[in-house]
Amino acid sequence: MGRAILIIGAAALAVGVIVYSLIECARTDNSDMRGLRKGGWIAVILLLPLVGALLWLFLGRPRGTAESSRPVRGRGPDDDPQFLRNLEERRRQQEKAEKLRQWEEELRRNGGPGADGGTGPEDRPDDRRGDRPDDGPSGGSSAGRSDGPTDGSPGNRPPRD
């Protein structure tokens, strides 16, 4: 009875080694294998069950722990250069937006251009009409214009500031 248990245990161990070797050979990258290619090692393990499995374990497996078999350590967001670039770009955009908001607020407080809803001096009526002698189309001369009386009286023009 003891002999049967020993034989069954040895057979189970041999099957375990064969299955383990076959699975590990199939999962190993071609570039990491020593000796034969993947198909050759699988054929050796299947044709010479226990001997082929032992040959794979001692001669075919990659030596040591390969980079690909090590657990991959996750990178935190503070280790990712792309995340850091995006974070810096977002910070710069927020700074620009804050500066722009402060400048607009300062202009509103000081009554600068745009404080009354207009965009600047071009919104004043007397500048657009060209009522000043130096604003005319003929180099500052008012000759030839027919926008008022020619005798020098103000006519119906609005008074100047």
Side-chain angles (χ1 to χ4, degrees):
M1 181 82 176
R3 189 179 242 184
I5 293 176
L6 186 63
I7 292 174
I8 292 173
L13 181 67
V15 169
V17 169
I18 294 167
V19 169
Y20 174 78
S21 297
L22 192 60
I23 291 172
E24 186 178 313
C25 179
R27 293 186 65 195
T28 302
D29 190 22
N30 278 333
S31 62
D32 293 338
M33 291 185 171
R34 295 184 297 160
L36 302 174
R37 294 184 182 184
K38 185 181 288 194
W41 277 114
I42 291 175
V44 168
I45 293 169
L46 291 175
L47 293 175
L48 306 168
L50 188 58
V51 176
L54 292 175
L55 286 173
W56 163 254
L57 291 175
F58 292 110
L59 302 177
R61 274 176 30 163
R63 293 185 185 182
T65 56
E67 291 277 335
S68 60
S69 65
R70 290 184 190 159
V72 177
R73 182 180 149 253
R75 287 173 39 173
D78 56 340
D79 293 337
D80 186 14
Q82 180 64 35
F83 175 79
L84 295 174
R85 276 191 295 272
N86 290 342
L87 193 62
E88 181 65 22
E89 182 64 31
R90 196 175 317 141
R91 185 189 62 78
R92 285 185 193 144
Q93 288 175 352
Q94 287 175 347
E95 280 180 2
K96 286 179 183 178
E98 181 63 23
K99 272 185 184 178
L100 183 61
R101 188 194 62 74
Q102 288 174 354
W103 288 344
E104 288 174 346
E105 184 65 31
E106 186 177 324
L107 281 173
R108 276 189 220 109
R109 273 186 270 132
N110 295 339
D116 59 350
T119 58
E122 64 274 354
D123 288 334
R124 287 182 275 179
D126 58 303
D127 284 347
R128 267 187 275 140
R129 274 193 250 133
D131 286 342
R132 296 184 186 156
D134 58 337
D135 286 351
S138 59
S141 165
S142 62
R145 287 197 321 199
S146 62
D147 58 349
T150 57
D151 61 355
S153 65
N156 61 359
R157 281 191 272 169
R160 292 190 188 164
D161 293 330

mmCIF file of all heavy atoms in Angstrom, residues 127-147:
data_model
loop_
_atom_site.group_PDB
_atom_site.id
_atom_site.type_symbol
_atom_site.label_atom_id
_atom_site.label_comp_id
_atom_site.label_asym_id
_atom_site.label_seq_id
_atom_site.Cartn_x
_atom_site.Cartn_y
_atom_site.Cartn_z
ATOM 1 N N ASP A 127 -15.432 113.083 -32.324
ATOM 2 C CA ASP A 127 -14.289 112.508 -33.027
ATOM 3 C C ASP A 127 -14.731 111.798 -34.302
ATOM 4 O O ASP A 127 -14.006 111.765 -35.276
ATOM 5 C CB ASP A 127 -13.556 111.496 -32.137
ATOM 6 C CG ASP A 127 -12.715 112.193 -31.087
ATOM 7 O OD1 ASP A 127 -12.526 113.403 -31.222
ATOM 8 O OD2 ASP A 127 -12.274 111.519 -30.143
ATOM 9 N N ARG A 128 -15.903 111.222 -34.303
ATOM 10 C CA ARG A 128 -16.343 110.478 -35.469
ATOM 11 C C ARG A 128 -16.764 111.412 -36.600
ATOM 12 O O ARG A 128 -16.611 111.090 -37.753
ATOM 13 C CB ARG A 128 -17.527 109.574 -35.110
ATOM 14 C CG ARG A 128 -17.049 108.193 -34.730
ATOM 15 C CD ARG A 128 -18.189 107.257 -34.540
ATOM 16 N NE ARG A 128 -18.669 107.414 -33.179
ATOM 17 C CZ ARG A 128 -19.945 107.404 -32.835
ATOM 18 N NH1 ARG A 128 -20.871 107.237 -33.729
ATOM 19 N NH2 ARG A 128 -20.311 107.561 -31.594
ATOM 20 N N ARG A 129 -17.327 112.537 -36.286
ATOM 21 C CA ARG A 129 -17.812 113.439 -37.330
ATOM 22 C C ARG A 129 -16.700 114.214 -37.980
ATOM 23 O O ARG A 129 -16.846 114.721 -39.068
ATOM 24 C CB ARG A 129 -18.817 114.421 -36.729
ATOM 25 C CG ARG A 129 -20.203 113.826 -36.723
ATOM 26 C CD ARG A 129 -21.207 114.873 -36.435
ATOM 27 N NE ARG A 129 -21.731 114.599 -35.100
ATOM 28 C CZ ARG A 129 -21.882 115.496 -34.161
ATOM 29 N NH1 ARG A 129 -21.557 116.736 -34.363
ATOM 30 N NH2 ARG A 129 -22.362 115.163 -33.001
ATOM 31 N N GLY A 130 -15.586 114.397 -37.301
ATOM 32 C CA GLY A 130 -14.496 115.174 -37.880
ATOM 33 C C GLY A 130 -14.784 116.661 -37.857
ATOM 34 O O GLY A 130 -14.477 117.359 -38.803
ATOM 35 N N ASP A 131 -15.410 117.161 -36.762
ATOM 36 C CA ASP A 131 -15.748 118.576 -36.665
ATOM 37 C C ASP A 131 -14.538 119.449 -36.400
ATOM 38 O O ASP A 131 -14.584 120.644 -36.592
ATOM 39 C CB ASP A 131 -16.763 118.799 -35.533
ATOM 40 C CG ASP A 131 -18.148 118.311 -35.944
ATOM 41 O OD1 ASP A 131 -18.352 118.153 -37.158
ATOM 42 O OD2 ASP A 131 -18.988 118.099 -35.058
ATOM 43 N N ARG A 132 -13.472 118.861 -35.963
ATOM 44 C CA ARG A 132 -12.290 119.667 -35.708
ATOM 45 C C ARG A 132 -11.577 119.931 -37.017
ATOM 46 O O ARG A 132 -11.518 119.059 -37.879
ATOM 47 C CB ARG A 132 -11.355 118.945 -34.748
ATOM 48 C CG ARG A 132 -12.006 118.758 -33.383
ATOM 49 C CD ARG A 132 -11.041 118.129 -32.439
ATOM 50 N NE ARG A 132 -11.729 117.841 -31.185
ATOM 51 C CZ ARG A 132 -11.357 116.929 -30.348
ATOM 52 N NH1 ARG A 132 -10.284 116.211 -30.604
ATOM 53 N NH2 ARG A 132 -12.011 116.749 -29.242
ATOM 54 N N PRO A 133 -10.970 121.108 -37.177
ATOM 55 C CA PRO A 133 -10.303 121.426 -38.437
ATOM 56 C C PRO A 133 -9.167 120.471 -38.767
ATOM 57 O O PRO A 133 -8.879 120.223 -39.920
ATOM 58 C CB PRO A 133 -9.765 122.834 -38.231
ATOM 59 C CG PRO A 133 -10.417 123.364 -37.019
ATOM 60 C CD PRO A 133 -10.982 122.230 -36.259
ATOM 61 N N ASP A 134 -8.502 119.889 -37.771
ATOM 62 C CA ASP A 134 -7.368 119.009 -38.067
ATOM 63 C C ASP A 134 -7.803 117.575 -38.338
ATOM 64 O O ASP A 134 -6.979 116.720 -38.584
ATOM 65 C CB ASP A 134 -6.359 119.039 -36.919
ATOM 66 C CG ASP A 134 -6.974 118.637 -35.589
ATOM 67 O OD1 ASP A 134 -8.210 118.748 -35.440
ATOM 68 O OD2 ASP A 134 -6.218 118.224 -34.704
ATOM 69 N N ASP A 135 -9.103 117.261 -38.276
ATOM 70 C CA ASP A 135 -9.581 115.907 -38.523
ATOM 71 C C ASP A 135 -10.083 115.712 -39.947
ATOM 72 O O ASP A 135 -10.531 114.630 -40.288
ATOM 73 C CB ASP A 135 -10.743 115.563 -37.578
ATOM 74 C CG ASP A 135 -10.251 115.305 -36.169
ATOM 75 O OD1 ASP A 135 -9.031 115.235 -35.994
ATOM 76 O OD2 ASP A 135 -11.095 115.188 -35.255
ATOM 77 N N GLY A 136 -10.037 116.694 -40.776
ATOM 78 C CA GLY A 136 -10.606 116.617 -42.119
ATOM 79 C C GLY A 136 -9.823 115.723 -43.035
ATOM 80 O O GLY A 136 -8.672 115.395 -42.787
ATOM 81 N N PRO A 137 -10.420 115.319 -44.148
ATOM 82 C CA PRO A 137 -9.768 114.410 -45.072
ATOM 83 C C PRO A 137 -8.709 115.072 -45.921
ATOM 84 O O PRO A 137 -7.910 114.387 -46.527
ATOM 85 C CB PRO A 137 -10.921 113.900 -45.944
ATOM 86 C CG PRO A 137 -11.947 114.965 -45.886
ATOM 87 C CD PRO A 137 -11.805 115.597 -44.544
ATOM 88 N N SER A 138 -8.643 116.371 -45.960
ATOM 89 C CA SER A 138 -7.682 117.020 -46.850
ATOM 90 C C SER A 138 -6.490 117.568 -46.080
ATOM 91 O O SER A 138 -6.048 118.673 -46.294
ATOM 92 C CB SER A 138 -8.373 118.150 -47.622
ATOM 93 O OG SER A 138 -8.898 119.098 -46.700
ATOM 94 N N GLY A 139 -5.967 116.785 -45.142
ATOM 95 C CA GLY A 139 -4.739 117.168 -44.455
ATOM 96 C C GLY A 139 -4.930 118.265 -43.423
ATOM 97 O O GLY A 139 -4.014 119.010 -43.158
ATOM 98 N N GLY A 140 -6.093 118.396 -42.822
ATOM 99 C CA GLY A 140 -6.286 119.361 -41.754
ATOM 100 C C GLY A 140 -6.960 120.637 -42.217
ATOM 101 O O GLY A 140 -7.344 121.459 -41.429
ATOM 102 N N SER A 141 -7.114 120.871 -43.457
ATOM 103 C CA SER A 141 -7.764 122.075 -43.963
ATOM 104 C C SER A 141 -9.252 121.827 -44.063
ATOM 105 O O SER A 141 -9.688 120.741 -44.433
ATOM 106 C CB SER A 141 -7.178 122.430 -45.329
ATOM 107 O OG SER A 141 -8.012 123.355 -45.968
ATOM 108 N N SER A 142 -10.049 122.845 -43.755
ATOM 109 C CA SER A 142 -11.499 122.695 -43.832
ATOM 110 C C SER A 142 -12.038 123.208 -45.152
ATOM 111 O O SER A 142 -13.236 123.335 -45.324
ATOM 112 C CB SER A 142 -12.163 123.419 -42.658
ATOM 113 O OG SER A 142 -11.870 124.803 -42.731
ATOM 114 N N ALA A 143 -11.187 123.528 -46.100
ATOM 115 C CA ALA A 143 -11.640 124.037 -47.394
ATOM 116 C C ALA A 143 -12.334 122.940 -48.165
ATOM 117 O O ALA A 143 -11.882 121.799 -48.204
ATOM 118 C CB ALA A 143 -10.452 124.551 -48.196
ATOM 119 N N GLY A 144 -13.443 123.290 -48.780
ATOM 120 C CA GLY A 144 -14.158 122.341 -49.614
ATOM 121 C C GLY A 144 -15.183 121.535 -48.856
ATOM 122 O O GLY A 144 -15.880 120.745 -49.461
ATOM 123 N N ARG A 145 -15.302 121.714 -47.531
ATOM 124 C CA ARG A 145 -16.302 120.945 -46.785
ATOM 125 C C ARG A 145 -17.594 121.727 -46.756
ATOM 126 O O ARG A 145 -17.595 122.940 -46.601
ATOM 127 C CB ARG A 145 -15.841 120.711 -45.357
ATOM 128 C CG ARG A 145 -14.730 119.690 -45.281
ATOM 129 C CD ARG A 145 -14.531 119.155 -43.902
ATOM 130 N NE ARG A 145 -14.675 120.184 -42.866
ATOM 131 C CZ ARG A 145 -14.199 120.061 -41.648
ATOM 132 N NH1 ARG A 145 -13.559 118.982 -41.314
ATOM 133 N NH2 ARG A 145 -14.364 120.999 -40.765
ATOM 134 N N SER A 146 -18.682 121.035 -46.823
ATOM 135 C CA SER A 146 -19.970 121.722 -46.802
ATOM 136 C C SER A 146 -20.782 121.247 -45.604
ATOM 137 O O SER A 146 -21.938 120.916 -45.731
ATOM 138 C CB SER A 146 -20.726 121.465 -48.101
ATOM 139 O OG SER A 146 -20.976 120.082 -48.226
ATOM 140 N N ASP A 147 -20.142 121.183 -44.424
ATOM 141 C CA ASP A 147 -20.864 120.711 -43.264
ATOM 142 C C ASP A 147 -21.328 121.855 -42.367
ATOM 143 O O ASP A 147 -21.739 121.647 -41.249
ATOM 144 C CB ASP A 147 -20.025 119.703 -42.465
ATOM 145 C CG ASP A 147 -18.709 120.280 -42.022
ATOM 146 O OD1 ASP A 147 -18.371 121.368 -42.498
ATOM 147 O OD2 ASP A 147 -18.024 119.643 -41.200
#
